[in-house]
Amino acid sequence: MAGERRHKGMRLSKLYSFKCLKPFSKEDHSQIGSRGYSRVVFCNDPDNPEALQLNYRGNYVSTTKYTAANFIPKSLFEQFRRVANIYFLVVAFVSFSPLAPYTAPSVLAPLLFVIGATMVKEGVEDLRRRRQDIEANNRRVLVLSKNGEFSKTKWKNLRVGDLVKVHKDEYFPADLLLLSSSYEDGVCYVETMNLDGETNLKLKHALEITSVEESSIKNFRGGVIKCEDPNEHLYSFVGTLHYQGQQYPLSPQQMLLRDSKLRNTDFIVGVVVFTGHDTKVMQNATDPPSKRSKIERKMDKIVYILFSILIVIAFTGSVFFGIITRRDVTDDGKKMRRWYLRPDRTTVFYEPRRAVLASFFHFLTALMLYGYLIPISLYVSIEVVKVLQSIFINQDQEMYHEETDRPARARTSNLNEELGQVDTILSDKTGTLTCNSMEFVKCSISGTAYGRGMTEVELALRKQKGMSMRPQDDEIKANPTKSVKGFNFWDERVVDGQWINQPNAELIQKFFRVLAICHTAIPDVDGESGEISYEAESPDEAAFVIASRELGFEFFARSQTHISLHEIDHVSGEKVDRVYELLHVLEFSSSRKRMSVIVRNPENRLLLLSKGADSVMFERLAKHGRQFERETKEHIKRYAEAGLRTLVIAYREVDEEEYRIWEEEFLNAKTLVTEDRDALIDAAADKIEKDLILLGSTAVEDKLQKGVPDCIEKLSQAGVKIWVLTGDKTETAINIGYACSLLREGMEKILITLDSPDIETLEKQGDKDAVAKASFQSIKKQLREGMSQTAAAATTDDSANEKPEMFGLVIDGKSLTFALDKKLEKEFLELASRCGSVICCRSSPKQKALVTRLVKTGTGRTTLAIGDGANDVGMLQEADIGVGISGAEGMQAVMASDFAIAQFRFLERLLLVHGHWCYRRIAMMICYFFYKNLTFGFTLFWYEAYASFSGKPAYNDWYMSCYNVFFTSLPVIALGVFDQDVSARLCLKYPLLYQEGVQNILFSWERILGWMLNGIISSMIIFFLTINTLASQAFRKDGQVVDYSVLGVTMYSCVVWTVNCQMAISINYFTWIQHCFIWGSIGVWYLFLVIYGSLPPTFSTTAYQVFVETSAPSPICWLTLVLVTFSALLPYFTYRAFQIKFRPMYHDIIVEQRRTERFESGTRTASAVSGELPVQVEFTLHHLKANLSRRDSWN
């Protein structure tokens, strides 16, 4: 390894002088040593006594929630945060007392089963995280040992101060200070995708004092780093290197962060500064905001209602128990009404003379007895169902993207049903609606437009206006050109070297020469094929380099001081090699909005080559450099309307004296360590970037992803509002809106902007307060005008009894700043709510998050945010549901999301199919859970009332314990996993079915209380029919009536049959699994009776041989079972028949219509499949659309 060669003759000291070599930051280094800046690192001397006293953390990393020591107590704490589990725990403890109406094991067993199952699930998930930690901690890296040689050691063994060596394509094991690299002046390229989601390479640079040969760096001792304490800020670092009596300020440019990867550099040597959980990536490893679905929050309220019912009926029973008990003995104690209970010889639990105390004890007993109203297995059943639903989402082949080999992924299972209730989608554009794969399609050079063909936006606009394709467009599409990623340009005047025949050939040459030189891309030559690919910081930059290559200016080699091109000479037409000396690169930034390079060409002339946004470039043109300004501006406007991204290209010659003076000033500004250092550097750059000569402009297209227009159209039909938050210009955003069907034909645009002459005049005067005040009033006025416009349209359309006109709202970033003001945000939201689509242009990441929060809190409805980049993370975390696109901008959006998909079009299936199914399944499942528990629990109450509120349960202890766990739990899980009201194809065909979830029809209080009432009615029918059928007649041949055990078994069998048959008639889509679970649960009940009844009577008590010897041979028991079950289901049958006939739900109409079609004829079925809606469906959906359109608020 010592023999590894370094790249010679490559000095970056001047090349990356503006941004990449920026060795200092705005942070004040005088803070070193104060609180928050106290870390001290002894370089290559981790065993220094002072270092040992500091006792910094090791490099072992753990992301697990539990440890072997705290798993049981911490997991139990998590489980008993739920109110229901605490209740059952208290009941389990009290069951050991005489107050309990059943034995303690019968209560403990189901509780332990449910808690244990959940703990096992938690443990398995945590075990997976632990295995990932072990893999990371046991990776190996080269560390400089005491003998002066690099040897391999595990990541977890690294210490602060160790010198490590990392090779190409390896991850950094800790946060390192870069000392040297395989390049002579210590630069390296780093990929930070795991940190910020960006795939472009970052350039890092070591201090010159440490950029020495590897043999010398091994002897690097005595250096001490004093720096900031561990923190989560990825893009800042304050520190100082003390070495050989000198102090050297450190900046983020010298820091290599853990989990980033070394690229395009053979090796680096660095010193460990932060380890383990002190590293910046681990400091950022906080859990995302906890999100709970609206159904889950509502479910908690239902549980509280059940607790209230439990307390009410327990109190009611206790009052009656006290009254009856008090009457058992007269005041003089001589008469006993129920003498057979021997009230004169009883315990305190039944003491007529202390009836109030007895009533209180009865109240405690009743609280335990009626505890079965609370479904103990509800939470664990829902967790199981949601996990299985997530598996189905992950394995849906219709959402698998073959090109990138990426399936859909549910990163959390907590929000599955929320997918079926989305009212508003807030979407990023670049990389989400588009591919984020730029293609060079057009350009303007010296006032002449080049590039044939039409963009997707132009085609959409033509279609909207009813225009046909031009003949020449077809000719252009027929031209055979090879497919090159990033290049979709065709113009016979320019391609294949034909540009040399143009009258402006010299300017064309200069134009493409700027594109080939003004960049930071890195060429990567394939050793076998010789083909050149490029590593660029952005897709735009890669498109420019590829375009210049395809048109005769091939960038093929780069050193730190030179760029080499294969060029076509415009005079001779021959290919020549030209080498340009690279003197300075002034990098692009969001504030500068431009990039420039200073080069010396082979003719020894100094050139400044520049490209940037039109808003900053035109003002920097020289008077003699504006020859083509008017034509270029017209072309830029036309390109923007076509949905293209534009940059202005310019250049100028710099004389030697001007350059010498400027460089001196620039280098002086660069070496300052003051707060105004960056401002001085910007000012110095401004002095050279002036008097430019305009060459033209570029236009690149970010194509829409496949299926985006159809997806948006379908979601709009489903009544979902769509907002797009983009950084594009207003014209570009509007036309992209038309291309992707966000803005549609007949939709009237409401444009809110501050681009007015009055505002511009105030801005030129420089009065910021006046500008802010005028801007606020302007936005306020425009919002009110928009409200009036929508209100007038709604009034006109309502009077005509027609569908209200749809509006599209477009607002730019400046206007959005004022619209989000507390005084205006309500008006802005109300106006936006009246519009079918909203486009926010020039939006910053912070504005995206603020808009998302406004929509979420202001409407109270479910919001979904979707994006693909690091700038979308705030929006994704703020929304109720965050969906990440696993695209070209890395994985940070995916890592912050709840669901991940590869393409925007998959959102259609995720919401309209999986969302609709999951919402319906979970809503049905929870309602059924409460139904079956009320059915069972109230039979206990009716029996206790029948038995004078004695506190005696109607059933054997183990019958009650197994009810929720074994006899009724599996069918409800099958319902939550497999049930479908309609098929996936019909979900997509009739998107308005999705409104069942948005309007929360299936989990409204009306529906919930209806299911509860059904449970109470069923319990009454079961109890009173059973008791009146069996109790009043002889049951055995000897004339004896039924006893307690037979009555309990029969009534319990009726409950099991009723709730399972109720499940069978509620299911819309049967599978063999559901048949197995429903009828199998009934079979398990009888199997349990046989096995449990065969046990000794000391254990089985009232269940001993009761089924085999008594109930099974008795015809009246079976007849009673059939009668009671049918009668208990009759109210639901009646209600559903009435509902389907007179108040059908949307899915009822479609299902019944399709059944009719199949039954009547194959012809009718074929016509239905062809896409025509049934008349009844059309009628109902028409009214639903009208109701949706008339919504003028989201309360």
Side-chain angles (χ1 to χ4, degrees), residues 70 101 199 206 269-270 310 318 358 431 434 481 622 655 844 916 926 986 1031 1052 1070 1085 1175:
N70 70 12
T199 55
V269 177
L310 168 62
S318 300
T434 61
T481 56
D655 64 55
S844 66
H916 175 71
I926 295 173
L986 291 179
Y1052 192 94
F1070 263 106
W1085 154 238
V1175 176

Side-chain angles (χ1 to χ4, degrees), residues 87 90-92 94-103 107 310-311 313-315 317-318 321 347-350 357-372 940-941 944 949-954 957 960:
Y87 166 76
V90 172
V91 168
V94 178
S95 65
F96 288 95
S97 72
L99 288 171
Y102 34 62
T103 59
V107 181
L310 168 62
I311 292 171
I313 63 175
F315 179 78
S318 300
F321 173 78
T347 64
V348 70
F349 302 118
Y350 172 56
L357 182 61
S359 179
F360 172 74
F361 285 129
H362 180 276
F363 176 73
L364 298 179
T365 300
L367 286 178
M368 291 186 282
L369 178 62
Y370 303 140
Y372 293 98
L940 294 171
F941 177 72
E944 202 204 4
F949 296 98
S950 63
K952 179 72 173 176
D957 299 351
M960 295 189 290

Side-chain angles (χ1 to χ4, degrees), residues 733-805:
I734 289 174
N735 290 308
I736 289 288
Y738 280 115
C740 65
S741 296
L742 189 66
L743 300 176
R744 294 174 292 280
E745 188 175 355
M747 181 180 281
E748 189 172 342
K749 293 194 301 294
I750 299 176
L751 179 62
I752 297 180
T753 179
L754 289 175
D755 292 337
S756 66
D758 296 339
I759 301 293
E760 290 176 2
T761 302
L762 290 173
E763 287 177 343
K764 289 179 181 178
Q765 294 174 359
D767 189 343
K768 293 184 178 179
D769 292 336
V771 171
K773 186 176 180 181
S775 299
F776 181 87
Q777 293 300 326
S778 175
I779 297 304
K780 185 176 181 180
K781 180 183 177 182
Q782 291 180 66
L783 288 175
R784 292 185 174 175
E785 288 175 352
M787 294 282 289
S788 302
Q789 189 176 349
T790 55
T795 304
T796 303
D797 289 329
D798 283 345
S799 62
N801 196 26
E802 294 178 358
K803 174 183 170 183
E805 181 70 26

Side-chain angles (χ1 to χ4, degrees), residues 41 59 159 447 510 560 665 700 815 898 911 945 949 1053 1113:
V41 179
N59 202 40
R159 296 176 296 171
K510 290 179 179 179
Q560 271 58 37
E665 180 183 350
V700 296
S815 305
D898 305 303
L911 298 187
F949 296 98
S1053 298

Side-chain angles (χ1 to χ4, degrees), residues 930-1159:
F930 293 126
Y931 155 78
K932 73 182 182 67
N933 275 61
L934 284 169
T935 300
F936 177 68
F938 266 87
T939 57
L940 294 171
F941 177 72
W942 306 129
Y943 178 82
E944 202 204 4
Y946 183 77
S948 301
F949 296 98
S950 63
K952 179 72 173 176
Y955 312 117
N956 182 283
D957 299 351
W958 286 99
Y959 298 175
M960 295 189 290
S961 299
C962 295
Y963 178 76
N964 275 314
V965 179
F966 296 112
F967 305 144
T968 59
S969 60
L970 290 181
V972 77
I973 289 175
L975 168 72
V977 176
F978 300 107
D979 193 38
Q980 299 176 13
D981 57 336
V982 293
S983 67
R985 187 179 65 82
L986 291 179
C987 285
L988 297 174
K989 183 178 179 181
Y990 306 132
L992 271 176
L993 280 173
Y994 188 74
Q995 280 295 313
E996 286 187 342
V998 177
Q999 299 178 21
N1000 201 19
I1001 292 173
L1002 300 179
F1003 205 65
S1004 61
W1005 281 112
E1006 178 185 357
R1007 190 172 178 86
I1008 293 167
L1009 295 176
W1011 273 98
M1012 288 184 171
L1013 180 62
N1014 185 28
I1016 295 173
I1017 293 173
S1018 296
S1019 70
M1020 294 174 66
I1021 293 173
I1022 290 171
F1023 174 77
F1024 289 106
L1025 265 183
T1026 304
I1027 205 77
N1028 285 290
T1029 302
L1030 295 179
S1032 303
Q1033 57 182 311
F1035 178 73
R1036 297 181 180 178
K1037 292 181 179 180
D1038 57 3
Q1040 291 186 8
V1041 295
V1042 295
D1043 59 11
Y1044 165 77
S1045 61
V1046 176
L1047 178 65
V1049 165
T1050 306
M1051 189 159 60
Y1052 192 94
S1053 298
C1054 292
V1055 171
V1056 172
W1057 271 93
T1058 298
V1059 297
N1060 280 289
C1061 288
Q1062 175 71 68
M1063 168 67 69
I1065 62 177
S1066 300
I1067 286 176
N1068 296 284
Y1069 178 74
F1070 263 106
T1071 66
W1072 68 267
I1073 297 177
Q1074 286 163 308
H1075 279 294
C1076 179
F1077 283 176
I1078 291 174
W1079 313 121
S1081 295
I1082 297 174
V1084 167
W1085 154 238
Y1086 288 112
L1087 182 64
F1088 169 81
L1089 266 182
V1090 173
I1091 297 174
Y1092 180 54
S1094 64
L1095 299 177
T1098 53
F1099 183 78
S1100 59
T1101 60
T1102 57
Y1104 181 71
Q1105 297 295 335
V1106 68
F1107 178 70
V1108 175
E1109 294 185 358
T1110 309
S1111 297
S1114 172
I1116 194 170
C1117 284
W1118 295 107
L1119 290 173
T1120 301
L1121 179 64
V1122 173
L1123 172 65
V1124 171
T1125 301
F1126 177 79
S1127 301
L1129 294 175
L1130 192 59
Y1132 181 79
F1133 268 120
T1134 305
Y1135 168 76
R1136 281 294 288 157
F1138 174 83
Q1139 184 185 46
I1140 292 172
K1141 182 67 176 176
F1142 298 105
R1143 295 182 58 191
M1145 300 174 73
Y1146 310 126
H1147 72 277
D1148 290 333
I1149 299 171
I1150 292 172
V1151 170
E1152 288 302 318
Q1153 183 65 32
R1154 290 193 63 79
R1155 284 176 182 168
T1156 304
E1157 289 170 352
R1158 290 194 189 98
F1159 178 77

Side-chain angles (χ1 to χ4, degrees), residues 985 989-990 1154 1157 1163-1173:
R985 187 179 65 82
K989 183 178 179 181
Y990 306 132
R1154 290 193 63 79
E1157 289 170 352
T1163 306
R1164 289 281 301 278
T1165 303
S1167 66
V1169 175
S1170 67
E1172 294 296 324
L1173 290 172

Side-chain angles (χ1 to χ4, degrees), residues 226-384:
K226 295 183 179 180
C227 64
E228 65 188 16
D229 291 336
N231 60 67
E232 73 279 9
H233 305 301
L234 292 174
Y235 306 111
S236 68
F237 179 77
V238 178
T240 305
L241 173 64
H242 298 258
Y243 185 60
Q244 296 179 349
Q246 299 291 322
Q247 295 184 22
Y248 302 92
L250 303 174
S251 78
Q253 288 303 313
Q254 286 85 49
M255 290 302 295
L256 307 174
L257 303 185
R258 180 186 172 116
D259 281 350
S260 52
K261 183 188 286 189
L262 183 65
R263 296 288 300 276
N264 290 8
T265 309
D266 292 339
F267 68 88
I268 63 97
V269 177
V271 62
V272 177
V273 178
F274 297 116
T275 51
H277 288 271
D278 288 342
T279 58
K280 290 185 181 289
V281 67
M282 293 306 298
Q283 291 282 312
N284 277 274
T286 55
D287 292 331
S290 177
K291 297 180 180 180
R292 297 183 70 204
S293 69
K294 289 180 173 60
I295 285 184
E296 191 174 345
R297 291 195 291 268
K298 198 169 188 177
M299 187 173 70
D300 291 341
K301 296 178 183 178
I302 300 173
V303 171
Y304 292 139
I305 291 175
L306 291 181
F307 270 118
S308 301
I309 294 174
L310 168 62
I311 292 171
V312 168
I313 63 175
F315 179 78
T316 303
S318 300
V319 169
F320 280 103
F321 173 78
I323 294 173
I324 295 172
T325 301
R326 179 69 185 82
R327 292 175 180 173
D328 277 346
V329 177
T330 58
D331 293 336
D332 56 8
K334 295 180 179 179
K335 291 185 178 180
M336 293 181 287
R337 188 169 61 88
R338 293 187 296 177
W339 54 268
Y340 50 86
L341 296 178
R342 297 305 305 267
D344 56 332
R345 296 182 183 179
T346 186
T347 64
V348 70
F349 302 118
Y350 172 56
E351 174 59 65
R353 294 181 179 83
R354 290 189 289 177
V356 174
L357 182 61
S359 179
F360 172 74
F361 285 129
H362 180 276
F363 176 73
L364 298 179
T365 300
L367 286 178
M368 291 186 282
L369 178 62
Y370 303 140
Y372 293 98
L373 290 174
I374 313 298
I376 188 173
S377 60
L378 173 62
Y379 290 105
V380 68
S381 297
I382 288 178
E383 285 185 12
V384 170

